[in-house]
Amino acid sequence: MCTGRVDPAIIAKAFKKGLDGLIIVGCFIGECHYVSGNIQAKAKIDMTRRLLKHIGLNENRLSFQHCSSGEATRFVEIVNEFDKTIHELGPIGGESDRVKGPELFRKLEAAEAVLAGEKMRWVIGKKTEFLEKGNFYGEVFTEHEFNRAIDMIIVEETEVQEILGKLKEGVQSVKALAGSLAIPSERVFRYINALKRKEMVQLETVSGRSPLYKVIPQGV
Amino acid sequence: MKDKKMLIVGGGLEGVGAALENADKGADVTIIEKFADLGAERIPRDRLIKPGEGFVKPDLEKLRNQSNVKVLPYSDIKKISRDNDKIQTRIVKHSLLVDNSKSSEATKVGIKVCPVNMYDDFDEGLSFRTAFDYYNSETGNYNIYKEDMPACQRGCPINLDIRLYAGLIADGRYAESLAKIREKLPIPGSIGRICPHPCETACNRQYLDEPISICFLKRFVADVEINEGIEPDYETPEQKYSEKIAIIGAGPSGLSCAHDLARMGYENIKIFEALPVPGGFLQVGIPEYRLPKKLLGREVALIEKMGVEIQYNTRIGKDIAFEDLKKEYDAVFIAAGCHKGLKLRCPGEDDFEGIIDCVTFLRDQALGNIKDVKGKLIVIGGGNAAIDSARVGWRMGYDEVYILYRRTKKEMPANPWEVDAAEHEGVKFQFLAAPVEILGENGKVTGIKCVKMELGEPDASGRRRPVPVEGSEYVIDAETIVGALSQGTDLSFLPADHEFKLTRRDTFEVDEETGATNLPGVFAGGDVATGPDIAIRAVAGGKLGALGIHKYLRSK
Amino acid sequence: MIYEKEKRYIIPFTDVPSSRAEMPEISVDERRGNFTEVETGFPEAVAVQEAKRCLSCRRCLGCGLCLAEDNEDSIDFNIPGEELNLEFDEVIITKGQDNAFHPIKPELGFDVYADVITDLQFERMLSPNGPTGGLVVSPLNGEIPGRIAIVQGSSNEEDEKHLFSSLVLGVNESILALDKTQDLEVALISPVCQSFKEKFSSDAEQISSLGIIEGIPESVERKGEEGPLSLTYSTGGQNKTEDFDLLVVLTKEKISPEIMELSRKLDQEIQ
């Protein structure tokens, strides 16, 4: 299979299941059978590493290497090297990760939702176009500008997915959401208002002084 | 009233109200609003409401159905002037990128998928909205929110694409970054050192921590080129124009005008410069320790390489008559700057040797014409030229250097970082002090009589007005006194019977879109049109003039 | 200019330094008696870091995802703007929809505490079309407040007219808030309460149910990490301190610079 076909959501899912490391080995850049498959792969995996780092996973747990099919020795070297790295990092959610389990696994669940979501897929898919030809307005992006756009989506989408994930467990107040998610409560308040505007969340009831919100299931 | 054409500016409750009222009277009404939608609901501020009522809404339905009302949302007034009882306007109507008459269920999905998150301005930041969204929740008209330019770029007088050139530096693509800057700014190394950077004042990052150091990034890429010994290539277009253009003054404005015209394909551009050196105030006003003249010279040489000729030591009005210039050239751009230091206007000023205005002082120093350096130097004023004079004096070797300013440090118009640097170097400040009389003996300055001031009520500029404290006069001994109050234009190069329209400050009155003066074919820009201002605005004036000249010559 | 409010929503990115790079300089000793350039320029690594601090501010990314949702008919990214040259006989200038305001007394903690809001924000919150659908809640934590204080927010001595109209707005907002919220107490603190009561003596009954206090707010502090706001105000020559769940500051409107410029250019008053 071409590395360009690796779905970033699968990567998050793998870590969520407790994998300590994941290495993706593919053809060298410029030697792609499908012309730009591994360039696409690089964009996707770079972005996935940024996202994993953002949620608190040590990003070195994910590695992207190049090796041609004739280089058996190199392949062994790469794998051994990675094996050593993972041994040094220890088990997932432990010492070497900024966020520890089980908090990390909850965040990985949100990460999977972000990576499976169309915003991320769509924008990542546009990288080559944005950098070479430009966006719909003809603005050609630098790598830095593109990364900033991606970072923005990473931060916001992760928080939104965390909120939606929590709400799927049952109705919640803004205060309770903020308490359990480590997102500043004034931001949760604004996300909830925005999600109402998008018809993805609604006010269910008011209990005492707490308005409680509920998720509106989205059609496909 | 009938058929009277009325413009209502502002589409809030008051604007919509006024539009309806005048439309009812039969006027032909146009209402302009800068936001994408009109008419927010408001709680009354002039009477008490009863429970159960609350918001007052403008009647937008009625407005839309009124045939004699034209609505211009998302529009700006570019130019407006009163002209013989009529009001002439140029209005830019930005397009809504969504055709709301064709919106459907799919349109609603747009707001769910849009990846951009921002404060909802309409709801005063109490919520987020996406870039594809409605603005006013009540009217629910969708739009795509696309900035015309980022805040920094809008803050820059020549609208440099900062987001792009900073991004290129972040990516390590320095040469491309510099090339991008040079498309608009021919002197990036100079401006990158001395600009008071309005772009940084506008930078959004200040709301998070501190603005980006934009100005020095520009300097960085300019320095990289020099350090690596790269000779840049300017390309001029194949289409050439042969009209002769004269530019008076080789300062930032004149140089930028020449550069832009050369880039448009003009081949006969000649700059007349009174001094033996180029750069104007950049050369003889900004001291060497802030802007090395070798670097400035290199940037000027690059402009010359594009085919621009600079004739030095040529003063218009003395070496060549202005009228001859006008006859001989197809267009003239006046960029003579503000090189006249204003007087202190206190007794003794004209009686002694050793008192000098800051423009002359800095120029003479820059040209190496000051030989006699000894004793105490006193600089009077609080602007950048005062700080420059003091820091220059300190370097030249005066025993002591003082700055006398009639307000306090907080009110000083100079860049605060320059004030700090002067203090750091050992320049002494006397705040709340104003000169009363220049003292002298045997034709030479010996000191200055000052009076202490205190701050009173704020004046028109918003700064508190200094008031003298009676009986608080005192004397400081000094051998040299530099007056650094402000600068004005020196229009002695024009014939006495010239027909130019001037402002009250003796600057040229120019068209804000072309830089044209009232005389056909004559344009003006930079300090000579704006009064003393920062270099990058002079560059902007030069660029505007180049556009104006091009438009003028091509429509002749 | 396509309008953008000053307070932009910014995500802190953590991969770059938060303070700006400092320009290296030669020492003061090295400067005396010569004209050597003082600032020596950023080293490459510093310049790249500084450039990476750029947020690349951008609204619509131009990614076209909204278009891909079956909106080809209604969305077009490249409709050009239009330039119109129009002639008029008369102009009326109004203040427009900017809602800008003069600075709020810093001691009141606006911009520090999320539950200190402006009267303009409160107005939106009270609207059924607003961000909360008319529910009165604290933007700090989304909870319904039990005690709200509405106070005068500007730091300078004010003109009577402004104090008066902003108090009217404050009273109207508290009428609406009380109408919508159960078990709510509202305290209005203003220096013109007395004259306000005299002017609206015909509405005395309605006003008497509101807690209007003649006074000036002094400062605001948060009690503990998650506690209520503790407001100190001076009244009758004394300082009093009380706890509130939400503080609304009455603002003084500021006309936008372009409207001021327009008014100056045409030498005409703003209506």
Side-chain angles (χ1 to χ4, degrees):
Chain A
M1 188 176 84
C2 173
T3 49
R5 292 291 301 274
V6 176
D7 182 345
I10 304 266
I11 300 175
K13 195 170 187 175
F15 283 116
K16 195 182 76 186
K17 293 215 158 161
L19 219 66
D20 295 319
L22 181 66
I23 182 165
I24 297 161
V25 187
C27 319
F28 283 98
I29 302 283
E31 289 178 9
C32 180
H33 179 71
Y34 306 100
V35 187
S36 65
N38 48 19
I39 296 172
Q40 285 286 337
K42 187 172 183 316
K44 283 190 203 172
I45 293 164
D46 280 354
M47 171 273 296
T48 308
R49 282 167 66 100
R50 283 180 102 88
L51 172 58
L52 295 176
K53 187 182 172 193
H54 170 71
I55 63 161
L57 187 85
N58 190 314
E59 72 269 28
N60 293 327
R61 292 191 186 279
L62 174 62
S63 174
F64 183 39
Q65 297 292 340
H66 307 285
C67 179
S68 78
S69 52
E71 297 177 301
T73 341
R74 180 176 153 82
F75 183 75
V76 172
E77 271 169 30
I78 289 172
V79 173
N80 281 336
E81 180 73 17
F82 187 64
D83 186 53
K84 210 177 118 210
T85 309
I86 296 304
H87 269 288
E88 280 163 12
L89 291 177
I92 188 167
E95 276 299 291
S96 63
D97 298 301
R98 189 168 47 79
V99 173
K100 318 288 176 227
E103 171 73 2
L104 182 64
F105 292 106
R106 199 182 46 69
K107 287 203 174 232
L108 277 163
E109 178 133 19
E112 188 190 344
V114 174
L115 292 167
E118 54 190 335
K119 294 183 192 181
M120 201 58 139
R121 283 171 189 272
W122 181 268
V123 179
I124 281 299
K126 291 274 172 186
K127 183 171 181 179
T128 317
E129 196 178 320
F130 274 28
L131 262 55
E132 284 166 11
K133 287 202 302 236
N135 63 4
F136 268 90
Y137 303 104
E139 299 170 330
V140 177
F141 282 50
T142 57
E143 185 100 26
H144 173 73
E145 288 173 274
F146 188 79
N147 286 342
R148 277 289 172 254
I150 288 294
D151 288 345
M152 177 186 78
I153 302 171
I154 286 177
V155 174
E156 289 161 353
E157 271 300 287
T158 313
E159 291 180 347
V160 167
Q161 290 303 337
E162 282 185 82
I163 289 170
L164 290 174
K166 266 279 167 213
L167 285 179
K168 276 179 192 146
E169 295 169 11
V171 295
Q172 294 255 11
S173 70
V174 167
K175 195 175 179 181
L177 283 168
S180 60
L181 291 176
I183 304 172
S185 56
E186 63 257 40
R187 276 240 286 277
V188 176
F189 170 73
R190 286 166 172 84
Y191 281 127
I192 289 287
N193 289 339
L195 286 167
K196 278 195 299 180
R197 185 185 183 118
K198 293 177 190 177
E199 294 172 5
M200 293 166 82
V201 157
Q202 71 185 41
L203 177 69
E204 176 72 0
T205 179
V206 176
S207 155
R209 297 220 162 261
S210 303
L212 302 178
Y213 299 92
K214 150 183 169 185
V215 156
I216 303 172
Q218 301 295 304
V220 185
Chain B
M1 198 68 197
K2 193 123 188 71
D3 296 331
K4 192 179 202 180
K5 286 200 170 89
M6 293 192 76
L7 175 68
I8 315 262
V9 182
L13 203 52
E14 299 85 359
V16 175
L20 285 172
E21 189 190 318
N22 286 290
D24 277 343
K25 289 183 196 156
D28 189 359
V29 175
T30 301
I31 178 165
I32 179 171
E33 166 58 49
K34 68 177 168 181
F35 289 98
D37 220 335
L38 301 180
E41 46 178 14
R42 300 310 292 255
I43 295 173
R45 281 140 165 89
D46 53 354
R47 61 183 167 86
L48 291 190
I49 56 166
K50 300 272 172 276
E53 59 174 20
F55 286 80
V56 179
K57 294 173 192 174
D59 196 345
L60 294 178
E61 193 66 25
K62 189 174 171 201
L63 194 74
R64 292 212 176 88
N65 293 331
Q66 202 95 18
S67 61
N68 52 341
V69 176
K70 188 178 179 191
V71 182
L72 297 176
Y74 218 23
S75 302
D76 296 315
I77 299 176
K78 261 268 151 97
K79 196 177 175 187
I80 189 162
S81 60
R82 210 186 278 279
D83 190 14
N84 299 331
D85 288 348
K86 296 276 180 196
I87 290 147
Q88 303 294 343
T89 63
R90 168 135 59 237
I91 290 168
V92 173
K93 185 173 180 292
H94 305 287
S95 51
L96 294 180
L97 304 179
V98 180
D99 182 347
N100 281 286
S101 66
K102 289 186 189 146
S103 62
S104 59
E105 276 303 301
T107 316
K108 267 194 186 161
V109 181
I111 96 169
K112 285 186 196 176
V113 297
C114 177
V116 180
N117 205 35
M118 57 204 218
Y119 270 144
D120 181 5
D121 282 351
F122 188 81
D123 284 334
E124 297 292 322
L126 287 176
S127 177
F128 292 136
R129 51 171 290 206
T130 44
F132 176 91
D133 214 328
Y134 47 81
Y135 171 68
N136 180 342
S137 49
E138 211 181 325
T139 56
N141 283 332
Y142 287 90
N143 185 25
I144 291 172
Y145 191 109
K146 172 72 188 147
E147 77 287 343
D148 53 353
M149 50 179 94
C152 49
Q153 189 175 0
R154 197 185 301 137
C156 173
I158 60 167
N159 300 138
L160 274 179
D161 193 346
I162 292 157
R163 180 176 62 191
L164 180 61
Y165 85 66
L168 287 167
I169 296 172
D171 287 2
R173 294 155 70 184
Y174 311 136
E176 283 165 83
S177 178
L178 183 59
K180 255 290 153 256
I181 298 169
R182 278 223 179 96
E183 279 176 16
K184 285 190 173 175
L185 177 66
I187 46 174
S190 304
I191 293 292
R193 281 170 164 76
I194 56 108
C195 191
H197 42 68
C199 52
E200 294 179 22
T201 313
C203 174
N204 275 324
R205 187 150 189 143
Q206 68 186 297
Y207 303 112
L208 179 63
D209 39 53
E210 293 181 296
I212 321 294
S213 195
I214 300 168
C215 179
F216 292 150
L217 285 179
K218 191 159 39 246
R219 167 188 172 159
F220 168 73
V221 282
D223 284 359
V224 165
E225 186 184 77
I226 295 175
N227 295 341
E228 294 186 355
I230 302 166
E231 273 302 305
D233 243 357
Y234 279 117
E235 270 178 43
T236 52
E238 286 196 3
Q239 165 80 52
K240 302 285 183 207
Y241 303 112
S242 59
E243 282 97 341
K244 290 173 72 185
I245 300 158
I247 296 175
I248 303 176
S253 189
L255 289 171
S256 304
C257 182
H259 164 266
D260 279 23
L261 287 168
R263 278 214 179 199
M264 287 173 199
Y266 287 88
E267 289 182 304
N268 292 304
I269 308 165
K270 191 164 180 180
I271 306 182
F272 296 91
E273 171 57 53
L275 297 176
V277 282
F281 228 79
L282 295 179
Q283 177 78 243
V284 296
I286 308 265
E288 170 81 17
Y289 64 84
R290 282 175 66 198
L291 170 56
K293 303 312 167 211
K294 199 177 148 201
L295 180 125
L296 174 65
R298 179 178 180 272
E299 297 197 317
V300 176
L302 291 174
I303 299 171
E304 285 178 293
K305 251 174 72 177
M306 297 170 74
V308 173
E309 192 191 339
I310 307 180
Q311 184 176 322
Y312 295 105
N313 297 312
T314 309
R315 196 171 277 279
I316 305 301
K318 190 171 139 234
D319 303 310
I320 302 173
F322 179 78
E323 289 304 308
D324 292 344
L325 207 64
K326 229 179 101 202
K327 257 178 248 148
E328 204 183 317
Y329 288 83
D330 298 293
V332 178
F333 183 68
I334 304 175
C338 278
H339 288 265
K340 195 164 78 180
L342 297 188
K343 297 206 138 203
L344 292 171
R345 284 193 275 182
C346 63
E349 187 174 9
D350 301 319
D351 303 342
F352 308 107
E353 197 182 304
I355 173 151
I356 184 170
D357 70 87
C358 67
V359 181
T360 315
F361 178 73
L362 290 171
R363 181 171 58 224
D364 285 352
Q365 189 280 321
L367 299 175
N369 296 340
I370 299 182
K371 301 280 179 277
D372 202 19
V373 177
K374 62 169 194 288
K376 207 189 269 178
L377 171 76
I378 294 182
V379 180
I380 299 163
N384 281 324
I387 304 289
D388 283 342
S389 303
R391 292 182 72 188
V392 161
W394 180 83
R395 282 173 174 72
M396 288 163 78
Y398 285 96
D399 298 337
E400 270 183 293
V401 181
Y402 279 91
I403 287 183
L404 212 67
Y405 180 54
R406 56 200 186 116
R407 292 183 169 100
T408 68
K409 187 173 174 182
K410 213 177 87 203
E411 284 87 16
M412 281 187 117
N415 300 329
W417 55 91
E418 293 288 332
V419 180
D420 290 343
E423 218 168 12
H424 194 53
E425 285 166 5
V427 171
K428 295 177 183 126
F429 287 83
Q430 295 235 328
F431 293 113
L432 292 168
V436 177
E437 190 186 346
I438 307 295
L439 308 173
E441 259 171 44
N442 306 324
K444 289 206 166 163
V445 166
T446 58
I448 184 166
K449 191 199 245 178
C450 311
V451 64
K452 287 198 175 135
M453 311 292 273
E454 57 187 12
L455 293 182
E457 291 299 305
D459 62 10
S461 70
R463 295 183 300 175
R464 292 173 67 191
R465 188 194 302 274
V467 198
V469 179
E470 226 174 286
S472 66
E473 286 85 358
Y474 63 104
V475 172
I476 315 176
D477 296 336
E479 283 71 20
T480 309
I481 295 170
V482 172
L485 297 192
S486 184
Q487 299 104 53
T489 55
D490 179 359
L491 300 183
S492 58
F493 65 90
L494 295 175
D497 59 348
H498 74 80
E499 287 169 340
F500 283 105
K501 257 198 204 161
L502 301 176
T503 67
R504 271 177 300 176
R505 299 159 73 196
D506 263 356
T507 56
F508 286 92
E509 221 178 274
V510 295
D511 183 281
E512 55 191 298
E513 284 181 319
T514 60
T517 65
N518 58 314
L519 300 193
V522 184
F523 299 75
D527 283 0
V528 84
T530 60
D533 205 340
I534 62 178
I536 191 70
R537 262 195 277 278
V539 171
K543 295 176 75 70
L544 193 73
L547 271 180
I549 288 171
H550 182 58
K551 243 192 231 166
Y552 166 77
L553 291 177
R554 301 280 56 83
S555 62
K556 240 169 85 164
Chain C
M1 163 178 122
I2 295 178
Y3 185 73
E4 183 167 23
K5 282 208 170 169
E6 210 175 56
K7 254 183 84 183
R8 201 190 122 85
Y9 171 62
I10 299 166
I11 305 159
F13 299 110
T14 48
D15 56 344
V16 286
S18 61
S19 54
R20 59 200 247 129
E22 251 178 64
M23 176 55 93
E25 294 181 346
I26 60 171
S27 72
V28 174
D29 291 342
E30 290 170 277
R31 301 182 203 173
R32 183 93 205 200
N34 65 66
F35 281 81
T36 313
E37 186 171 22
V38 170
E39 296 172 335
T40 53
F42 287 151
E44 182 174 350
V46 174
V48 170
Q49 273 301 308
E50 189 62 23
K52 283 191 173 166
R53 289 183 69 236
C54 177
L55 300 165
S56 295
C57 299
R58 181 178 259 114
R59 297 305 206 185
C60 173
L61 292 175
C63 71
L65 184 52
C66 51
L67 188 78
E69 294 289 338
D70 203 18
N71 273 321
E72 285 88 348
D73 282 346
S74 54
I75 298 174
D76 183 349
F77 288 95
N78 291 307
I79 309 173
E82 231 182 304
E83 213 179 71
L84 308 160
N85 289 301
L86 301 174
E87 187 185 89
F88 298 97
D89 301 307
E90 207 179 295
V91 178
I92 294 177
I93 307 170
T94 67
K95 63 183 163 65
Q97 304 190 78
D98 270 43
N99 285 355
F101 49 84
H102 286 277
I104 292 168
K105 190 169 165 173
E107 292 82 5
L108 296 183
F110 178 71
D111 266 350
V112 181
Y113 305 122
D115 41 0
V116 178
I117 61 173
T118 65
D119 47 358
L120 301 163
Q121 289 180 308
F122 200 39
E123 185 177 16
R124 288 313 302 149
M125 196 187 276
L126 290 165
S127 162
N129 299 310
T132 62
L135 201 64
V136 176
V137 288
S138 161
L140 174 66
N141 55 20
E143 298 283 286
I144 297 170
R147 302 196 74 209
I148 299 177
I150 302 182
V151 303
Q152 199 46 250
S154 306
S155 52
N156 305 345
E157 290 286 302
E158 299 288 341
D159 54 301
E160 190 93 350
K161 202 175 144 215
H162 155 67
L163 288 174
F164 213 85
S165 70
S166 60
L167 183 56
V168 175
L169 174 64
V171 168
N172 283 341
E173 289 190 338
S174 52
I175 290 171
L176 286 175
L178 288 164
D179 191 40
K180 284 168 188 285
T181 317
Q182 288 187 337
D183 300 325
L184 177 67
E185 245 180 82
V186 182
L188 279 140
I189 300 165
S190 163
V192 292
C193 286
Q194 215 42 53
S195 51
F196 176 81
K197 281 181 185 162
E198 281 158 25
K199 169 130 193 242
F200 288 98
S201 55
S202 58
D203 299 285
E205 202 183 318
Q206 195 183 348
I207 295 170
S208 67
S209 64
L210 304 167
I212 303 188
I213 305 160
E214 179 97 15
I216 296 167
E218 298 293 344
S219 63
V220 170
E221 258 178 24
R222 161 101 52 230
K223 269 200 174 160
E225 234 170 72
E226 286 189 7
L229 293 165
S230 162
L231 168 73
T232 304
Y233 60 94
S234 61
T235 178
Q238 280 187 326
N239 272 6
K240 275 183 87 173
T241 303
E242 278 185 72
D243 288 352
F244 293 96
D245 303 315
L246 183 65
L247 183 74
V248 178
V249 286
L250 298 168
T251 55
K252 186 179 185 184
E253 80 175 1
K254 193 164 106 184
I255 308 287
S256 75
E258 64 256 37
I259 295 286
M260 293 293 275
E261 172 69 12
L262 190 65
S263 156
R264 194 194 57 76
K265 242 187 207 166
L266 297 178
D267 195 18
Q268 192 178 319
E269 295 271 315
I270 298 160
Q271 282 204 353

